[in-house]
Amino acid sequence: MLGSRPSPLPPVQQLNQPEPLTSTLARDRPEDCLPCRVTGAAAFVGLGTYSYLSGHRQLREQQAQILKSGSMFGMRSRQMGITGIAMTLVGMGLWRLVN
């Protein structure tokens, strides 16, 4: 009676041969619905656009104080920082839409 029931455990030979990583990752990859991708992409692109526009507006408003402060970081480096962050967020939105 004990031998008639199939064992739920795999044989030892099968356990010694690990599954290839590519097939494991392909099986574990989550699939998002299209509305989820579009919503996520819109959120990142919107956040990037907002940070670009509001960041540059605030820099223009504070330009005199920034230049007068004698800080090591002038207007150009601050503009590049804001643009870099905004471009990264927009890129993340596009990546979210495609992947």
Side-chain angles (χ1 to χ4, degrees):
M1 298 240 181
L2 199 53
S4 64
R5 200 171 69 178
S7 174
L9 299 174
V12 175
Q13 294 83 13
Q14 185 180 0
L15 292 175
N16 286 335
Q17 299 172 354
E19 186 177 357
L21 182 62
T22 54
S23 63
T24 304
L25 291 175
R27 196 171 8 97
D28 286 344
R29 185 168 189 236
E31 291 294 324
D32 284 340
C33 61
L34 183 61
C36 296
R37 289 185 194 186
V38 170
T39 302
F44 277 119
V45 169
L47 185 60
T49 304
Y50 174 77
S51 65
Y52 179 83
L53 295 175
S54 68
H56 281 280
R57 186 190 75 233
Q58 290 174 15
L59 277 181
R60 279 193 304 275
E61 291 172 357
Q62 302 291 327
Q63 183 175 7
Q65 292 174 341
I66 292 170
L67 294 176
K68 191 169 86 172
S69 73
S71 171
M72 174 173 77
F73 301 106
M75 289 298 293
R76 191 70 165 168
S77 63
R78 293 172 193 235
Q79 288 172 341
M80 287 175 32
I82 290 171
T83 302
I85 290 171
M87 287 175 54
T88 301
L89 289 167
V90 170
M92 288 171 60
L94 295 175
W95 181 84
R96 175 73 177 116
L97 185 63
V98 174
N99 292 326

